Amino acid sequence: MLEVKGYKDLLKKENLRNTKHRNSILEVIEQCGQPITADSIYLKLKEQGVSISLSTVYRVLDTLIGKGLVVKTSVTDENKGLYEINSMEHKHHLLCVKCRKMLSVDGCPLEDYERELEQKLGFSIKGHRLEMFGLCDKCKDGDT
Ligand SMILES: [Zn+2]
Ligand SMILES: [Zn+2]
């Protein structure tokens, strides 16, 4: 019986730790205000003195994605996923290829186009991805 109790306690403890990690990770992503890699999340947590491993960050991110709290918006050149709070709001991003700054653009220019395509092709469109990249305000001047 004692063994069972110990096991339950362990589970409870583990759950608590998971919840704590979940909240810390959500906080980091939220404060960042732009899509962020798991590596950056990990580094920021370390800065805050949270003891967590990179693999736990990935695991918790997967859980958060599964719960619909976080979305993986895109992938960097180094093939790293960028994570963002799932705002349920349809958004597009502008990525600076030089400094990797990412801007979110409100609104979507494709809604009318989608409707047009649906009518023309009899297709029921459920979504789309659109990413724009180039040089930001600061990088564009320094480039020449
Ligand atoms: Zn830039
Ligand atoms: Zn759109």
Side-chain angles (χ1 to χ4, degrees):
M1 287 312 269
L2 265 174
E3 252 175 38
V4 174
K5 190 171 174 272
Y7 172 68
K8 274 189 181 166
D9 276 351
L10 205 75
L11 251 186
K12 213 169 138 195
K13 232 183 189 170
E14 177 67 19
N15 270 337
L16 274 179
R17 199 184 304 140
N18 279 345
T19 312
K20 222 173 119 200
H21 281 159
R22 249 175 242 178
N23 291 340
S24 320
I25 288 177
L26 282 171
E27 235 166 66
V28 167
I29 303 176
E30 206 161 26
Q31 275 163 13
C32 182
Q34 65 180 60
I36 183 172
T37 62
D39 288 1
S40 310
I41 294 170
Y42 171 66
L43 288 177
K44 281 191 200 282
L45 287 172
K46 286 240 138 173
E47 272 170 30
Q48 292 172 15
V50 179
S51 83
I52 192 169
S53 67
L54 184 58
S55 59
T56 306
V57 171
Y58 275 109
R59 211 185 56 224
V60 174
L61 280 171
D62 277 343
T63 311
L64 291 172
I65 290 171
K67 289 184 179 293
L69 291 169
V70 166
V71 279
K72 201 170 170 179
T73 44
S74 82
V75 171
T76 66
D77 290 347
E78 299 91 51
N79 215 23
K80 281 177 185 158
L82 284 166
Y83 301 89
E84 173 175 45
I85 299 284
N86 186 8
S87 55
M88 301 302 281
E89 200 184 323
H90 182 70
K91 255 192 212 165
H92 291 292
H93 299 288
L94 269 170
L95 175 72
C96 175
V97 292
K98 207 170 171 192
C99 69
R100 318 302 303 174
K101 182 162 101 180
M102 202 176 242
L103 290 178
S104 296
V105 188
D106 290 329
C108 175
L110 290 176
E111 278 167 14
D112 290 341
Y113 184 54
E114 274 191 349
R115 227 154 289 144
E116 200 186 306
L117 283 178
E118 283 187 328
Q119 279 183 355
K120 224 194 258 175
L121 304 171
F123 211 89
S124 172
I125 295 170
K126 298 292 183 201
H128 60 253
R129 283 167 190 272
L130 169 69
E131 255 181 315
M132 291 161 279
F133 43 89
L135 293 166
C136 72
D137 217 28
K138 288 194 183 102
C139 296
K140 128 189 121 183
D141 295 331
D143 205 46
T144 41

